[in-house]
Structure formats: C-alpha cells, structure tokens
Amino acid sequence: GENVEQHPSTLSVQEGDSAVIKCTYSDSASNYFPWYKQELGKRPQLIIDIRSNVGEKKDQRIAVTLNKTAKHFSLHITETQPEDSAVYFCAASSTGTASKLTFGTGTRLQVTL
Amino acid sequence: SQTIHQWPATLVQPVGSPLSLECTVEGTSNPNLYWYRQAAGRGLQLLFYSVGIGQISSEVPQNLSASRPQDRQFILSSKKLLLSDSGFYLCAWTRRDRGEKLFFGSGTQLSVL
C-alpha cells in the first residue's frame, strides 16, 4: 500500500518568513495530493490540493508543488502569520470509488512574533 | 450545502464498557463515509470506509466495528473498550462522483480509563 513520509515534524519560523513542508510517497499510481491544516482540538481542514497532471498550484500565500518523477510534493507558505500556527498534514491517494487517503504524520508549525 | 454532524464531542469511558459514536451527513446523497482515528500528537489512521448502506471495509484489525444502517449515517462501535482505544475519532465524507475532497466532522475525543 501507499506510504507517505512528511518532514519536518516540527517547524518554527518568524512572522513574515516562509515555511516549507515536504512529503514523499511510495505508490506511483497516486494522483491526488491534498494538504490539511489542523488547529488544536479541531477538525483537519482542507487548505489546498493538487492533481498529478499539474506541477504547481497557488492560492494566495499558499502553494503546493509536485514532482511525480521523484514522488515528492511540498507545501509552501509565504509571509507567515501567527494564525498559520497549526499542524499540517499531507496526504496521497490513487482515486477510486472510495478515495482512501494515506496521511503523513504531520508537521507542527509555530509562527513566532 | 453539505454538513457533517458527529457526536458526542467528548467521551470518558471505563475499560470494558461499550462504545457507540454516530455521524450523519446532510445535503448530499450516496456519500462515501469514513472513520479515522488520531492518537495524541500523531497522524490520521483510516479505520473503516463505506461506499453504501451495509457496505463496510475495514483497514486495520482492531477492537472496533462500523455499521451504515442508512445512506447518510455511519456508526462506530465497540463491545468492550481497551485503553488503547483512546484517541480523537473523526468521521469524514466524500462525494461519490468527486471522491477525493475529504471533509471531516468535528471529532470525538475518547478517553478510556
């Protein structure tokens, strides 16, 4: 089955700096890669996703890049703000009738003033 | 719009007691439904998924079971809870035709003592 590795496990940046979180996946059939943000005690929220026919996608301060050859994808947050502090999860899926996402282990991002 | 309801929000149960967590989805029909578990400070582990009434697939052998008695209702159960069953349980759904975007319920924090 699919295996998703995520790094780093914790990340501390100063407000205004950029943050990058990286994930690798093992199943070359995977073709959908979402990112979720989870604040303490809350549900994970989908923030951005990318499909394998696209190399990069951007939404305001958030961008995701995908390298299918190397089987890795990354989340980039620019101009970080304190409200970006949360745990971020990457995931991968080979789409089917029931989309079974395999999640990474999460990155705890702390944005300091 | 679609909404997902999950209850209770918190639950403290003694070892050996039964468990029933319920989840319902509104505003859509024939959803794919999922139960995930998140141990403290850990990632998201898929426990069960369902593509239709009475159709349950188990991802991990364990002390838990799931049932789908109605199209938009998903129930997680146990006959006898173990200490290791403690965690944050999340129900989730995807649309049948666009199965990738996964949306989570608000979660149940279960503590088995």
Side-chain angles (χ1 to χ4, degrees), chain A residues 32 36 38 41-44 49 51 89 95 97-101 103-105, chain B residues 32 34 36 38 42-44 49 51 59 88 90 99-102 104-106:
Chain A
Y32 174 66
Y36 286 81
Q38 185 179 28
K42 301 291 183 63
R43 76 186 81 187
D49 56 6
R51 300 183 190 282
F89 292 96
T95 56
T97 304
S99 182
K100 294 190 293 179
L101 288 171
F103 284 85
T105 49
Chain B
N32 296 329
Y34 308 81
Y36 281 85
Q38 187 175 30
R42 304 289 297 277
L44 294 149
Y49 72 94
V51 299
E59 291 295 298
F88 191 46
L90 290 153
E100 294 90 359
K101 292 190 184 293
L102 185 73
F104 287 94
S106 54

PDB file of all heavy atoms in Angstrom, chain A residues 32 36 38 41-44 49 51 89 95 97-101 103-105, chain B residues 32 34 36 38 42-44 49 51 59 88 90 99-102 104-106:
ATOM      1  N   TYR A  32      -3.543  12.174  -6.494  1.00  0.00           N
ATOM      2  CA  TYR A  32      -4.236  13.288  -5.831  1.00  0.00           C
ATOM      3  C   TYR A  32      -3.550  13.544  -4.493  1.00  0.00           C
ATOM      4  O   TYR A  32      -3.330  12.613  -3.711  1.00  0.00           O
ATOM      5  CB  TYR A  32      -5.710  12.935  -5.621  1.00  0.00           C
ATOM      6  CG  TYR A  32      -6.468  13.955  -4.814  1.00  0.00           C
ATOM      7  CD1 TYR A  32      -6.689  15.244  -5.306  1.00  0.00           C
ATOM      8  CD2 TYR A  32      -6.949  13.656  -3.554  1.00  0.00           C
ATOM      9  CE1 TYR A  32      -7.379  16.180  -4.569  1.00  0.00           C
ATOM     10  CE2 TYR A  32      -7.634  14.592  -2.810  1.00  0.00           C
ATOM     11  CZ  TYR A  32      -7.845  15.848  -3.320  1.00  0.00           C
ATOM     12  OH  TYR A  32      -8.528  16.785  -2.579  1.00  0.00           O
ATOM     13  N   TYR A  36      -3.909  19.364   4.612  1.00  0.00           N
ATOM     14  CA  TYR A  36      -4.872  19.724   5.632  1.00  0.00           C
ATOM     15  C   TYR A  36      -4.188  20.498   6.747  1.00  0.00           C
ATOM     16  O   TYR A  36      -3.024  20.227   7.092  1.00  0.00           O
ATOM     17  CB  TYR A  36      -5.545  18.467   6.222  1.00  0.00           C
ATOM     18  CG  TYR A  36      -6.559  17.823   5.301  1.00  0.00           C
ATOM     19  CD1 TYR A  36      -6.155  16.985   4.272  1.00  0.00           C
ATOM     20  CD2 TYR A  36      -7.919  18.084   5.459  1.00  0.00           C
ATOM     21  CE1 TYR A  36      -7.080  16.416   3.422  1.00  0.00           C
ATOM     22  CE2 TYR A  36      -8.855  17.506   4.613  1.00  0.00           C
ATOM     23  CZ  TYR A  36      -8.429  16.673   3.600  1.00  0.00           C
ATOM     24  OH  TYR A  36      -9.346  16.108   2.754  1.00  0.00           O
ATOM     25  N   GLN A  38      -4.730  21.546  10.791  1.00  0.00           N
ATOM     26  CA  GLN A  38      -5.498  21.186  11.973  1.00  0.00           C
ATOM     27  C   GLN A  38      -5.049  22.032  13.153  1.00  0.00           C
ATOM     28  O   GLN A  38      -3.899  21.936  13.611  1.00  0.00           O
ATOM     29  CB  GLN A  38      -5.338  19.699  12.315  1.00  0.00           C
ATOM     30  CG  GLN A  38      -6.221  19.243  13.460  1.00  0.00           C
ATOM     31  CD  GLN A  38      -6.069  17.766  13.767  1.00  0.00           C
ATOM     32  OE1 GLN A  38      -5.023  17.175  13.544  1.00  0.00           O
ATOM     33  NE2 GLN A  38      -7.144  17.147  14.276  1.00  0.00           N
ATOM     34  N   GLY A  41      -7.283  20.675  18.835  1.00  0.00           N
ATOM     35  CA  GLY A  41      -8.612  20.228  19.230  1.00  0.00           C
ATOM     36  C   GLY A  41      -9.682  20.355  18.164  1.00  0.00           C
ATOM     37  O   GLY A  41     -10.860  20.091  18.432  1.00  0.00           O
ATOM     38  N   LYS A  42      -9.277  20.755  16.966  1.00  0.00           N
ATOM     39  CA  LYS A  42     -10.261  20.967  15.899  1.00  0.00           C
ATOM     40  C   LYS A  42     -10.125  19.901  14.805  1.00  0.00           C
ATOM     41  O   LYS A  42      -9.210  19.089  14.810  1.00  0.00           O
ATOM     42  CB  LYS A  42     -10.054  22.360  15.285  1.00  0.00           C
ATOM     43  CG  LYS A  42     -10.184  23.504  16.276  1.00  0.00           C
ATOM     44  CD  LYS A  42     -11.606  23.677  16.742  1.00  0.00           C
ATOM     45  CE  LYS A  42     -11.783  24.851  17.684  1.00  0.00           C
ATOM     46  NZ  LYS A  42     -11.456  26.144  17.041  1.00  0.00           N
ATOM     47  N   ARG A  43     -11.050  19.941  13.889  1.00  0.00           N
ATOM     48  CA  ARG A  43     -11.000  19.002  12.769  1.00  0.00           C
ATOM     49  C   ARG A  43      -9.966  19.451  11.746  1.00  0.00           C
ATOM     50  O   ARG A  43      -9.703  20.644  11.594  1.00  0.00           O
ATOM     51  CB  ARG A  43     -12.381  18.938  12.106  1.00  0.00           C
ATOM     52  CG  ARG A  43     -12.716  20.153  11.218  1.00  0.00           C
ATOM     53  CD  ARG A  43     -14.134  20.102  10.704  1.00  0.00           C
ATOM     54  NE  ARG A  43     -15.085  20.570  11.672  1.00  0.00           N
ATOM     55  CZ  ARG A  43     -16.395  20.513  11.524  1.00  0.00           C
ATOM     56  NH1 ARG A  43     -16.917  19.972  10.437  1.00  0.00           N
ATOM     57  NH2 ARG A  43     -17.212  20.964  12.449  1.00  0.00           N
ATOM     58  N   PRO A  44      -9.361  18.536  11.010  1.00  0.00           N
ATOM     59  CA  PRO A  44      -8.494  18.927   9.889  1.00  0.00           C
ATOM     60  C   PRO A  44      -9.321  19.612   8.808  1.00  0.00           C
ATOM     61  O   PRO A  44     -10.426  19.168   8.488  1.00  0.00           O
ATOM     62  CB  PRO A  44      -7.937  17.587   9.397  1.00  0.00           C
ATOM     63  CG  PRO A  44      -8.138  16.635  10.519  1.00  0.00           C
ATOM     64  CD  PRO A  44      -9.387  17.090  11.216  1.00  0.00           C
ATOM     65  N   ASP A  49      -5.142  21.461  -2.653  1.00  0.00           N
ATOM     66  CA  ASP A  49      -4.881  20.130  -3.180  1.00  0.00           C
ATOM     67  C   ASP A  49      -4.350  20.245  -4.600  1.00  0.00           C
ATOM     68  O   ASP A  49      -4.501  21.283  -5.253  1.00  0.00           O
ATOM     69  CB  ASP A  49      -6.120  19.232  -3.127  1.00  0.00           C
ATOM     70  CG  ASP A  49      -7.325  19.827  -3.853  1.00  0.00           C
ATOM     71  OD1 ASP A  49      -7.198  20.881  -4.507  1.00  0.00           O
ATOM     72  OD2 ASP A  49      -8.427  19.248  -3.741  1.00  0.00           O
ATOM     73  N   ARG A  51      -3.478  17.793  -8.316  1.00  0.00           N
ATOM     74  CA  ARG A  51      -3.585  16.519  -9.025  1.00  0.00           C
ATOM     75  C   ARG A  51      -2.346  16.296  -9.851  1.00  0.00           C
ATOM     76  O   ARG A  51      -1.605  17.222 -10.146  1.00  0.00           O
ATOM     77  CB  ARG A  51      -4.850  16.504  -9.884  1.00  0.00           C
ATOM     78  CG  ARG A  51      -6.090  16.689  -9.054  1.00  0.00           C
ATOM     79  CD  ARG A  51      -7.383  16.610  -9.833  1.00  0.00           C
ATOM     80  NE  ARG A  51      -8.497  17.029  -8.990  1.00  0.00           N
ATOM     81  CZ  ARG A  51      -9.066  16.280  -8.063  1.00  0.00           C
ATOM     82  NH1 ARG A  51      -8.639  15.050  -7.875  1.00  0.00           N
ATOM     83  NH2 ARG A  51     -10.060  16.742  -7.334  1.00  0.00           N
ATOM     84  N   PHE A  89      -0.958  18.408   7.609  1.00  0.00           N
ATOM     85  CA  PHE A  89      -0.853  17.027   7.137  1.00  0.00           C
ATOM     86  C   PHE A  89      -0.881  16.987   5.618  1.00  0.00           C
ATOM     87  O   PHE A  89      -1.743  17.612   4.990  1.00  0.00           O
ATOM     88  CB  PHE A  89      -2.017  16.182   7.652  1.00  0.00           C
ATOM     89  CG  PHE A  89      -2.017  15.940   9.126  1.00  0.00           C
ATOM     90  CD1 PHE A  89      -2.759  16.739   9.971  1.00  0.00           C
ATOM     91  CD2 PHE A  89      -1.274  14.900   9.669  1.00  0.00           C
ATOM     92  CE1 PHE A  89      -2.764  16.520  11.341  1.00  0.00           C
ATOM     93  CE2 PHE A  89      -1.277  14.667  11.037  1.00  0.00           C
ATOM     94  CZ  PHE A  89      -2.026  15.485  11.874  1.00  0.00           C
ATOM     95  N   THR A  95      -7.103   7.650  -6.917  1.00  0.00           N
ATOM     96  CA  THR A  95      -8.551   7.825  -6.867  1.00  0.00           C
ATOM     97  C   THR A  95      -9.299   6.580  -7.301  1.00  0.00           C
ATOM     98  O   THR A  95      -8.879   5.851  -8.186  1.00  0.00           O
ATOM     99  CB  THR A  95      -8.985   9.002  -7.747  1.00  0.00           C
ATOM    100  OG1 THR A  95      -8.500   8.764  -9.079  1.00  0.00           O
ATOM    101  CG2 THR A  95      -8.374  10.281  -7.244  1.00  0.00           C
ATOM    102  N   THR A  97     -13.477   4.547  -6.334  1.00  0.00           N
ATOM    103  CA  THR A  97     -14.844   4.758  -5.868  1.00  0.00           C
ATOM    104  C   THR A  97     -14.841   5.307  -4.447  1.00  0.00           C
ATOM    105  O   THR A  97     -15.590   6.204  -4.122  1.00  0.00           O
ATOM    106  CB  THR A  97     -15.632   3.450  -5.899  1.00  0.00           C
ATOM    107  OG1 THR A  97     -15.579   2.924  -7.222  1.00  0.00           O
ATOM    108  CG2 THR A  97     -17.074   3.685  -5.504  1.00  0.00           C
ATOM    109  N   ALA A  98     -14.035   4.758  -3.611  1.00  0.00           N
ATOM    110  CA  ALA A  98     -13.875   5.275  -2.247  1.00  0.00           C
ATOM    111  C   ALA A  98     -12.453   5.779  -2.150  1.00  0.00           C
ATOM    112  O   ALA A  98     -11.514   4.997  -2.165  1.00  0.00           O
ATOM    113  CB  ALA A  98     -14.150   4.200  -1.220  1.00  0.00           C
ATOM    114  N   SER A  99     -12.297   7.056  -2.060  1.00  0.00           N
ATOM    115  CA  SER A  99     -10.964   7.642  -2.075  1.00  0.00           C
ATOM    116  C   SER A  99     -10.293   7.426  -0.730  1.00  0.00           C
ATOM    117  O   SER A  99     -10.683   8.025   0.258  1.00  0.00           O
ATOM    118  CB  SER A  99     -11.066   9.128  -2.384  1.00  0.00           C
ATOM    119  OG  SER A  99      -9.799   9.703  -2.440  1.00  0.00           O
ATOM    120  N   LYS A 100      -9.305   6.584  -0.680  1.00  0.00           N
ATOM    121  CA  LYS A 100      -8.628   6.276   0.577  1.00  0.00           C
ATOM    122  C   LYS A 100      -7.335   7.049   0.644  1.00  0.00           C
ATOM    123  O   LYS A 100      -6.353   6.687   0.012  1.00  0.00           O
ATOM    124  CB  LYS A 100      -8.373   4.778   0.669  1.00  0.00           C
ATOM    125  CG  LYS A 100      -9.631   3.945   0.772  1.00  0.00           C
ATOM    126  CD  LYS A 100      -9.325   2.504   1.093  1.00  0.00           C
ATOM    127  CE  LYS A 100      -8.601   1.817  -0.030  1.00  0.00           C
ATOM    128  NZ  LYS A 100      -8.281   0.408   0.302  1.00  0.00           N
ATOM    129  N   LEU A 101      -7.367   8.104   1.427  1.00  0.00           N
ATOM    130  CA  LEU A 101      -6.192   8.914   1.587  1.00  0.00           C
ATOM    131  C   LEU A 101      -5.240   8.282   2.588  1.00  0.00           C
ATOM    132  O   LEU A 101      -5.660   7.805   3.637  1.00  0.00           O
ATOM    133  CB  LEU A 101      -6.576  10.312   2.073  1.00  0.00           C
ATOM    134  CG  LEU A 101      -7.264  11.228   1.064  1.00  0.00           C
ATOM    135  CD1 LEU A 101      -7.781  12.470   1.765  1.00  0.00           C
ATOM    136  CD2 LEU A 101      -6.322  11.608  -0.054  1.00  0.00           C
ATOM    137  N   PHE A 103      -2.253   9.470   4.975  1.00  0.00           N
ATOM    138  CA  PHE A 103      -1.765  10.728   5.519  1.00  0.00           C
ATOM    139  C   PHE A 103      -0.319  10.612   5.982  1.00  0.00           C
ATOM    140  O   PHE A 103       0.131   9.545   6.429  1.00  0.00           O
ATOM    141  CB  PHE A 103      -2.613  11.157   6.713  1.00  0.00           C
ATOM    142  CG  PHE A 103      -3.946  11.732   6.325  1.00  0.00           C
ATOM    143  CD1 PHE A 103      -5.036  10.909   6.100  1.00  0.00           C
ATOM    144  CD2 PHE A 103      -4.115  13.106   6.190  1.00  0.00           C
ATOM    145  CE1 PHE A 103      -6.270  11.425   5.733  1.00  0.00           C
ATOM    146  CE2 PHE A 103      -5.346  13.639   5.841  1.00  0.00           C
ATOM    147  CZ  PHE A 103      -6.419  12.804   5.606  1.00  0.00           C
ATOM    148  N   GLY A 104       0.384  11.729   5.898  1.00  0.00           N
ATOM    149  CA  GLY A 104       1.666  11.845   6.559  1.00  0.00           C
ATOM    150  C   GLY A 104       1.467  12.002   8.053  1.00  0.00           C
ATOM    151  O   GLY A 104       0.340  12.119   8.534  1.00  0.00           O
ATOM    152  N   THR A 105       2.561  12.041   8.790  1.00  0.00           N
ATOM    153  CA  THR A 105       2.493  12.069  10.252  1.00  0.00           C
ATOM    154  C   THR A 105       2.331  13.477  10.816  1.00  0.00           C
ATOM    155  O   THR A 105       2.202  13.637  12.019  1.00  0.00           O
ATOM    156  CB  THR A 105       3.739  11.422  10.862  1.00  0.00           C
ATOM    157  OG1 THR A 105       4.897  11.984  10.238  1.00  0.00           O
ATOM    158  CG2 THR A 105       3.737   9.920  10.642  1.00  0.00           C
TER     159      THR A 105
ATOM    160  N   ASN B  32     -19.538   8.673   0.254  1.00  0.00           N
ATOM    161  CA  ASN B  32     -18.603   7.713   0.838  1.00  0.00           C
ATOM    162  C   ASN B  32     -18.328   8.199   2.261  1.00  0.00           C
ATOM    163  O   ASN B  32     -18.126   9.393   2.483  1.00  0.00           O
ATOM    164  CB  ASN B  32     -17.290   7.691   0.045  1.00  0.00           C
ATOM    165  CG  ASN B  32     -17.503   7.207  -1.372  1.00  0.00           C
ATOM    166  OD1 ASN B  32     -18.370   6.394  -1.658  1.00  0.00           O
ATOM    167  ND2 ASN B  32     -16.701   7.726  -2.282  1.00  0.00           N
ATOM    168  N   TYR B  34     -16.300   7.636   6.140  1.00  0.00           N
ATOM    169  CA  TYR B  34     -15.038   7.152   6.698  1.00  0.00           C
ATOM    170  C   TYR B  34     -15.001   7.385   8.205  1.00  0.00           C
ATOM    171  O   TYR B  34     -15.547   8.362   8.709  1.00  0.00           O
ATOM    172  CB  TYR B  34     -13.845   7.905   6.082  1.00  0.00           C
ATOM    173  CG  TYR B  34     -13.825   7.931   4.575  1.00  0.00           C
ATOM    174  CD1 TYR B  34     -14.609   8.840   3.872  1.00  0.00           C
ATOM    175  CD2 TYR B  34     -13.021   7.054   3.856  1.00  0.00           C
ATOM    176  CE1 TYR B  34     -14.601   8.863   2.485  1.00  0.00           C
ATOM    177  CE2 TYR B  34     -12.996   7.082   2.467  1.00  0.00           C
ATOM    178  CZ  TYR B  34     -13.789   7.988   1.787  1.00  0.00           C
ATOM    179  OH  TYR B  34     -13.772   8.014   0.420  1.00  0.00           O
ATOM    180  N   TYR B  36     -11.831   7.824  10.922  1.00  0.00           N
ATOM    181  CA  TYR B  36     -10.394   7.941  11.158  1.00  0.00           C
ATOM    182  C   TYR B  36     -10.160   8.037  12.664  1.00  0.00           C
ATOM    183  O   TYR B  36     -10.996   8.518  13.413  1.00  0.00           O
ATOM    184  CB  TYR B  36      -9.824   9.208  10.507  1.00  0.00           C
ATOM    185  CG  TYR B  36      -9.585   9.111   9.023  1.00  0.00           C
ATOM    186  CD1 TYR B  36     -10.609   9.363   8.119  1.00  0.00           C
ATOM    187  CD2 TYR B  36      -8.329   8.786   8.519  1.00  0.00           C
ATOM    188  CE1 TYR B  36     -10.382   9.285   6.749  1.00  0.00           C
ATOM    189  CE2 TYR B  36      -8.089   8.716   7.152  1.00  0.00           C
ATOM    190  CZ  TYR B  36      -9.127   8.964   6.274  1.00  0.00           C
ATOM    191  OH  TYR B  36      -8.894   8.891   4.931  1.00  0.00           O
ATOM    192  N   GLN B  38      -7.114   9.445  15.434  1.00  0.00           N
ATOM    193  CA  GLN B  38      -5.881  10.204  15.610  1.00  0.00           C
ATOM    194  C   GLN B  38      -5.435  10.051  17.052  1.00  0.00           C
ATOM    195  O   GLN B  38      -6.092  10.569  17.962  1.00  0.00           O
ATOM    196  CB  GLN B  38      -6.113  11.669  15.251  1.00  0.00           C
ATOM    197  CG  GLN B  38      -4.867  12.513  15.245  1.00  0.00           C
ATOM    198  CD  GLN B  38      -5.145  13.921  14.765  1.00  0.00           C
ATOM    199  OE1 GLN B  38      -6.241  14.458  14.937  1.00  0.00           O
ATOM    200  NE2 GLN B  38      -4.147  14.545  14.150  1.00  0.00           N
ATOM    201  N   ARG B  42      -0.314  12.406  16.908  1.00  0.00           N
ATOM    202  CA  ARG B  42       0.006  11.509  15.798  1.00  0.00           C
ATOM    203  C   ARG B  42      -0.804  11.856  14.559  1.00  0.00           C
ATOM    204  O   ARG B  42      -1.598  12.789  14.544  1.00  0.00           O
ATOM    205  CB  ARG B  42      -0.274  10.064  16.227  1.00  0.00           C
ATOM    206  CG  ARG B  42       0.451   9.618  17.466  1.00  0.00           C
ATOM    207  CD  ARG B  42       1.927   9.443  17.252  1.00  0.00           C
ATOM    208  NE  ARG B  42       2.236   8.404  16.297  1.00  0.00           N
ATOM    209  CZ  ARG B  42       2.296   7.114  16.620  1.00  0.00           C
ATOM    210  NH1 ARG B  42       2.070   6.706  17.857  1.00  0.00           N
ATOM    211  NH2 ARG B  42       2.596   6.220  15.696  1.00  0.00           N
ATOM    212  N   GLY B  43      -0.575  11.066  13.520  1.00  0.00           N
ATOM    213  CA  GLY B  43      -1.287  11.281  12.262  1.00  0.00           C
ATOM    214  C   GLY B  43      -2.665  10.661  12.266  1.00  0.00           C
ATOM    215  O   GLY B  43      -3.185  10.222  13.291  1.00  0.00           O
ATOM    216  N   LEU B  44      -3.259  10.628  11.080  1.00  0.00           N
ATOM    217  CA  LEU B  44      -4.628  10.153  10.903  1.00  0.00           C
ATOM    218  C   LEU B  44      -4.611   8.738  10.336  1.00  0.00           C
ATOM    219  O   LEU B  44      -4.053   8.489   9.270  1.00  0.00           O
ATOM    220  CB  LEU B  44      -5.373  11.088   9.948  1.00  0.00           C
ATOM    221  CG  LEU B  44      -5.586  12.486  10.507  1.00  0.00           C
ATOM    222  CD1 LEU B  44      -5.594  13.513   9.404  1.00  0.00           C
ATOM    223  CD2 LEU B  44      -6.886  12.533  11.280  1.00  0.00           C
ATOM    224  N   TYR B  49     -14.188   2.401   5.971  1.00  0.00           N
ATOM    225  CA  TYR B  49     -14.843   3.237   4.984  1.00  0.00           C
ATOM    226  C   TYR B  49     -16.022   2.471   4.400  1.00  0.00           C
ATOM    227  O   TYR B  49     -16.068   1.227   4.449  1.00  0.00           O
ATOM    228  CB  TYR B  49     -13.877   3.716   3.904  1.00  0.00           C
ATOM    229  CG  TYR B  49     -13.413   2.660   2.931  1.00  0.00           C
ATOM    230  CD1 TYR B  49     -14.068   2.468   1.717  1.00  0.00           C
ATOM    231  CD2 TYR B  49     -12.287   1.900   3.214  1.00  0.00           C
ATOM    232  CE1 TYR B  49     -13.612   1.519   0.816  1.00  0.00           C
ATOM    233  CE2 TYR B  49     -11.833   0.944   2.312  1.00  0.00           C
ATOM    234  CZ  TYR B  49     -12.499   0.766   1.118  1.00  0.00           C
ATOM    235  OH  TYR B  49     -12.049  -0.180   0.223  1.00  0.00           O
ATOM    236  N   VAL B  51     -18.969   2.583   1.055  1.00  0.00           N
ATOM    237  CA  VAL B  51     -19.439   3.154  -0.207  1.00  0.00           C
ATOM    238  C   VAL B  51     -20.955   3.045  -0.333  1.00  0.00           C
ATOM    239  O   VAL B  51     -21.511   3.520  -1.326  1.00  0.00           O
ATOM    240  CB  VAL B  51     -18.744   2.506  -1.417  1.00  0.00           C
ATOM    241  CG1 VAL B  51     -17.241   2.742  -1.344  1.00  0.00           C
ATOM    242  CG2 VAL B  51     -19.058   1.029  -1.493  1.00  0.00           C
ATOM    243  N   GLU B  59      -9.888  -1.297   7.510  1.00  0.00           N
ATOM    244  CA  GLU B  59      -8.498  -1.083   7.124  1.00  0.00           C
ATOM    245  C   GLU B  59      -7.516  -1.666   8.120  1.00  0.00           C
ATOM    246  O   GLU B  59      -6.405  -2.028   7.761  1.00  0.00           O
ATOM    247  CB  GLU B  59      -8.221   0.411   6.949  1.00  0.00           C
ATOM    248  CG  GLU B  59      -8.916   1.022   5.760  1.00  0.00           C
ATOM    249  CD  GLU B  59      -8.413   0.443   4.441  1.00  0.00           C
ATOM    250  OE1 GLU B  59      -7.217   0.595   4.140  1.00  0.00           O
ATOM    251  OE2 GLU B  59      -9.209  -0.194   3.727  1.00  0.00           O
ATOM    252  N   PHE B  88      -8.675  10.590  19.249  1.00  0.00           N
ATOM    253  CA  PHE B  88      -9.602  11.555  18.632  1.00  0.00           C
ATOM    254  C   PHE B  88     -10.181  10.876  17.391  1.00  0.00           C
ATOM    255  O   PHE B  88      -9.441  10.549  16.460  1.00  0.00           O
ATOM    256  CB  PHE B  88      -8.816  12.817  18.276  1.00  0.00           C
ATOM    257  CG  PHE B  88      -9.646  13.996  17.876  1.00  0.00           C
ATOM    258  CD1 PHE B  88     -10.776  14.364  18.604  1.00  0.00           C
ATOM    259  CD2 PHE B  88      -9.289  14.771  16.788  1.00  0.00           C
ATOM    260  CE1 PHE B  88     -11.535  15.469  18.246  1.00  0.00           C
ATOM    261  CE2 PHE B  88     -10.051  15.889  16.421  1.00  0.00           C
ATOM    262  CZ  PHE B  88     -11.164  16.229  17.154  1.00  0.00           C
ATOM    263  N   LEU B  90     -12.558  10.774  14.130  1.00  0.00           N
ATOM    264  CA  LEU B  90     -13.092  11.694  13.137  1.00  0.00           C
ATOM    265  C   LEU B  90     -13.886  10.943  12.082  1.00  0.00           C
ATOM    266  O   LEU B  90     -13.386  10.003  11.470  1.00  0.00           O
ATOM    267  CB  LEU B  90     -11.952  12.451  12.457  1.00  0.00           C
ATOM    268  CG  LEU B  90     -11.215  13.473  13.324  1.00  0.00           C
ATOM    269  CD1 LEU B  90      -9.792  13.648  12.829  1.00  0.00           C
ATOM    270  CD2 LEU B  90     -11.947  14.802  13.307  1.00  0.00           C
ATOM    271  N   GLY B  99     -14.684  11.935  -5.652  1.00  0.00           N
ATOM    272  CA  GLY B  99     -14.403  11.264  -4.391  1.00  0.00           C
ATOM    273  C   GLY B  99     -13.205  11.746  -3.624  1.00  0.00           C
ATOM    274  O   GLY B  99     -12.942  11.257  -2.545  1.00  0.00           O
ATOM    275  N   GLU B 100     -12.449  12.699  -4.160  1.00  0.00           N
ATOM    276  CA  GLU B 100     -11.190  12.984  -3.477  1.00  0.00           C
ATOM    277  C   GLU B 100     -11.305  13.969  -2.335  1.00  0.00           C
ATOM    278  O   GLU B 100     -10.621  13.838  -1.338  1.00  0.00           O
ATOM    279  CB  GLU B 100     -10.160  13.519  -4.465  1.00  0.00           C
ATOM    280  CG  GLU B 100      -9.726  12.517  -5.502  1.00  0.00           C
ATOM    281  CD  GLU B 100     -10.603  12.570  -6.731  1.00  0.00           C
ATOM    282  OE1 GLU B 100     -11.548  13.371  -6.751  1.00  0.00           O
ATOM    283  OE2 GLU B 100     -10.335  11.794  -7.666  1.00  0.00           O
ATOM    284  N   LYS B 101     -12.115  14.981  -2.468  1.00  0.00           N
ATOM    285  CA  LYS B 101     -12.130  16.012  -1.426  1.00  0.00           C
ATOM    286  C   LYS B 101     -12.816  15.442  -0.190  1.00  0.00           C
ATOM    287  O   LYS B 101     -14.007  15.186  -0.164  1.00  0.00           O
ATOM    288  CB  LYS B 101     -12.847  17.269  -1.927  1.00  0.00           C
ATOM    289  CG  LYS B 101     -12.057  17.985  -3.025  1.00  0.00           C
ATOM    290  CD  LYS B 101     -12.640  19.338  -3.326  1.00  0.00           C
ATOM    291  CE  LYS B 101     -11.917  20.006  -4.493  1.00  0.00           C
ATOM    292  NZ  LYS B 101     -10.527  20.354  -4.136  1.00  0.00           N
ATOM    293  N   LEU B 102     -12.016  15.279   0.823  1.00  0.00           N
ATOM    294  CA  LEU B 102     -12.463  14.656   2.062  1.00  0.00           C
ATOM    295  C   LEU B 102     -12.755  15.744   3.084  1.00  0.00           C
ATOM    296  O   LEU B 102     -11.915  16.615   3.330  1.00  0.00           O
ATOM    297  CB  LEU B 102     -11.367  13.725   2.583  1.00  0.00           C
ATOM    298  CG  LEU B 102     -11.672  12.880   3.808  1.00  0.00           C
ATOM    299  CD1 LEU B 102     -12.619  11.749   3.444  1.00  0.00           C
ATOM    300  CD2 LEU B 102     -10.374  12.328   4.390  1.00  0.00           C
ATOM    301  N   PHE B 104     -14.086  16.537   7.053  1.00  0.00           N
ATOM    302  CA  PHE B 104     -14.153  15.899   8.354  1.00  0.00           C
ATOM    303  C   PHE B 104     -15.269  16.470   9.227  1.00  0.00           C
ATOM    304  O   PHE B 104     -15.610  17.653   9.134  1.00  0.00           O
ATOM    305  CB  PHE B 104     -12.830  16.091   9.101  1.00  0.00           C
ATOM    306  CG  PHE B 104     -11.696  15.261   8.564  1.00  0.00           C
ATOM    307  CD1 PHE B 104     -10.822  15.783   7.626  1.00  0.00           C
ATOM    308  CD2 PHE B 104     -11.509  13.960   8.996  1.00  0.00           C
ATOM    309  CE1 PHE B 104      -9.776  15.021   7.129  1.00  0.00           C
ATOM    310  CE2 PHE B 104     -10.468  13.186   8.509  1.00  0.00           C
ATOM    311  CZ  PHE B 104      -9.600  13.722   7.577  1.00  0.00           C
ATOM    312  N   GLY B 105     -15.790  15.621  10.110  1.00  0.00           N
ATOM    313  CA  GLY B 105     -16.652  16.080  11.179  1.00  0.00           C
ATOM    314  C   GLY B 105     -15.810  16.713  12.273  1.00  0.00           C
ATOM    315  O   GLY B 105     -14.578  16.757  12.190  1.00  0.00           O
ATOM    316  N   SER B 106     -16.474  17.192  13.316  1.00  0.00           N
ATOM    317  CA  SER B 106     -15.782  17.945  14.373  1.00  0.00           C
ATOM    318  C   SER B 106     -15.044  17.039  15.351  1.00  0.00           C
ATOM    319  O   SER B 106     -14.279  17.534  16.172  1.00  0.00           O
ATOM    320  CB  SER B 106     -16.781  18.820  15.128  1.00  0.00           C
ATOM    321  OG  SER B 106     -17.860  18.037  15.594  1.00  0.00           O
TER     322      SER B 106
END
